[in-house]
C-alpha cells in the first residue's frame, strides 16, 4: 500500500512538473525577484477566431545576474528554433523577450545558481476533451536534470565559451544523465541565456521568415507551416 501511494505521489509530482515547470522554493523565487529576473514558463491554450483553431502560446523570458539566472523558451519537436510571433521590447532587462504560438511546443527551462544548474525539457500539445469543444493541454517530461555542474564562469572570465558548452547532470546513484541528441543545441543555447547578464535579446526563438508570394488571409496566423533552416542561423547569431 505504501509503495502504491509513493508511486501515485511521484506520478502527480511529474504531472505538475510537466505542466507548470520547475518548482522553485520560496527562497529561490525571492532571490530572482530581488535580482529583477522575470521568467514565465507558462504554456496556455489560445483560440484563433479567424483561423477557427486552437494553438499553444508560450513566452521566451528570463536573464541573469552574476549569482543567479533563470530562463524559459521553446523549440519544435526536433529541437529546431521556432520563429517568434512577436518580439517584445521593454525598458527593463531580464524579462519578456518574445512570444510564440504553435500547435506543439517543446519548453526548455533552466535555473542557474552560481555554477549549479537545473534543466527541464517538456512537451506540450493539444488533446481532444470529452467534456467540451475546447481541447485540453497534454504535457510530458522529456528530460529533467537537477543540480548539474559546469565549472566555468560563462557570465565572466569564461564568456568566450558561451554557446559551446552546457552542464553535466547525474542521477542520484552517480550515473550520467544522457540528454536527448535533438535537444543538445537547445540546452547549449539556454545555458548561454542563464549566464547572459542584463539580457535584452532572444536566445532560442528567431524572426519569422515570410515567403513574398504568400497570398492567404493576412489576418489569420498560420502556425503549421514548415520552418526554414535559416531560422536556426538567425537564432544562433542571437545566442
Amino acid at each position: 500500500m505504501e509503495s502504491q501511494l509513493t508511486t501515485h505521489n511521484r506520478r502527480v509530482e511529474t504531472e505538475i512538473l510537466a505542466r507548470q515547470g520547475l518548482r522553485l522554493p520560496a527562497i529561490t523565487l525571492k532571490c530572482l525577484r530581488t535580482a529583477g529576473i522575470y521568467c514565465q514558463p507558462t504554456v496556455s491554450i489560445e483560440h484563433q477566431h479567424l483561423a477557427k483553431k486552437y494553438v499553444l502560446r508560450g513566452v521566451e523570458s528570463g536573464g541573469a545576474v552574476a549569482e543567479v539566472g533563470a530562463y524559459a523558451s521553446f523549440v519544435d519537436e526536433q529541437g529546431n528554433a521556432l520563429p517568434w510571433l512577436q518580439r517584445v521590447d521593454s525598458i527593463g532587462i531580464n524579462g519578456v523577450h518574445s512570444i510564440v504560438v504553435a500547435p506543439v511546443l517543446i519548453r526548455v527551462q533552466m535555473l542557474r545558481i552560481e555554477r549549479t544548474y537545473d534543466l527541464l525539457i517538456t512537451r506540450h500539445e493539444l488533446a481532444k476533451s470529452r467534456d467540451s469543444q475546447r481541447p485540453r493541454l497534454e504535457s510530458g517530461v522529456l528530460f529533467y536534470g537537477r543540480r548539474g555542474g559546469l565549472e566555468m564562469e560563462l557570465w565572466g572570465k569564461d564568456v568566450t565559451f558561451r554557446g559551446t558548452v552546457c552542464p553535466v547532470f547525474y542521477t542520484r546513484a552517480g550515473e550520467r544523465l544522457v540528454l536527448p541528441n535533438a535537444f543538445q543545441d537547445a540546452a547549449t543555447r539556454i545555458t548561454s541565456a542563464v549566464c547572459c547578464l542584463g539580457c535584452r535579446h532572444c536566445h532560442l526563438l528567431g524572426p519569422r521568415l515570410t515567403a513574398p508570394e504568400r497570398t492567404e488571409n493576412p489576418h489569420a496566423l498560420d502556425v503549421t507551416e514548415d520552418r526554414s533552416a535559416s531560422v536556426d542561423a538567425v537564432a544562433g547569431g542571437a545566442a
Side-chain angles (χ1 to χ4, degrees), residues 64-81:
V65 295
E67 296 79 14
V68 65
Y71 209 88
S73 189
F74 302 86
V75 295
D76 69 14
E77 294 178 272
Q78 289 73 46
N80 300 319

Side-chain angles (χ1 to χ4, degrees), residues 53-73:
K53 60 183 177 182
Y54 288 91
V55 294
L56 296 179
R57 180 183 186 272
V59 175
E60 176 162 332
S61 57
V65 295
E67 296 79 14
V68 65
Y71 209 88
S73 189

